[in-house]
Amino acid sequence: MSCAEFSSQRGSSTVAATALVIAALLLAAGILAWSAVTRAAMQAASAADLAALAAADTARGLRAGDPCAAAGLLASANEARLESCVIEADGTTVRVQVSVAITFSALGIEFPAASAQARAGAPPLTRH
């Protein structure tokens, strides 16, 4: 290899190493974003289930108070926000929907909140 060929190759390993580091950082950011979204979705599902159960217990008279207020308190205790609460016609079944903020933002990317819904109460009456 002559001196001219060697000098034209100078710095190429630095460029390759920099590209490798950038690719690794982007992969890590993607994994962290996916983890944040998955965690928020699971948290929303748990909060919706617990809020619906609390509201259904209150609607059935097992706890004192307003069913939707109970759902809201339990949702906020689980770091979720109660979006809707509907007491169905039978008076003992409740449907709730909650949302959880996704607390990850990298590279200026914003994610929408994760949401989940749940239903709790007496099973529907069916006649055979």
Side-chain angles (χ1 to χ4, degrees):
M1 185 179 268
S2 70
C3 287
E5 289 175 329
F6 181 72
S7 66
S8 69
Q9 298 293 320
R10 287 188 84 178
S12 62
S13 62
T14 303
V15 172
T18 303
L20 187 61
V21 168
I22 290 171
L25 289 174
L26 288 174
L27 179 64
I31 290 171
L32 289 174
W34 177 78
S35 297
V37 170
T38 302
R39 180 190 171 281
M42 292 185 339
Q43 182 180 356
S46 295
D49 289 343
L50 293 170
L53 288 170
D57 283 351
T58 306
R60 293 178 61 205
L62 300 175
R63 295 176 49 165
D66 176 51
C68 292
L73 284 173
L74 217 113
S76 65
N78 286 286
E79 298 176 5
R81 185 169 58 100
L82 184 66
E83 296 286 327
S84 67
C85 176
V86 176
I87 301 171
E88 293 184 351
D90 64 3
T92 61
T93 305
V94 180
R95 289 184 188 273
V96 298
Q97 182 170 354
V98 301
S99 66
V100 173
I102 298 175
T103 57
F104 177 81
S105 62
L107 305 172
I109 300 170
E110 295 292 326
F111 295 103
S115 64
Q117 57 185 351
R119 177 190 173 278
L125 297 175
T126 58
R127 295 182 185 222
H128 295 287

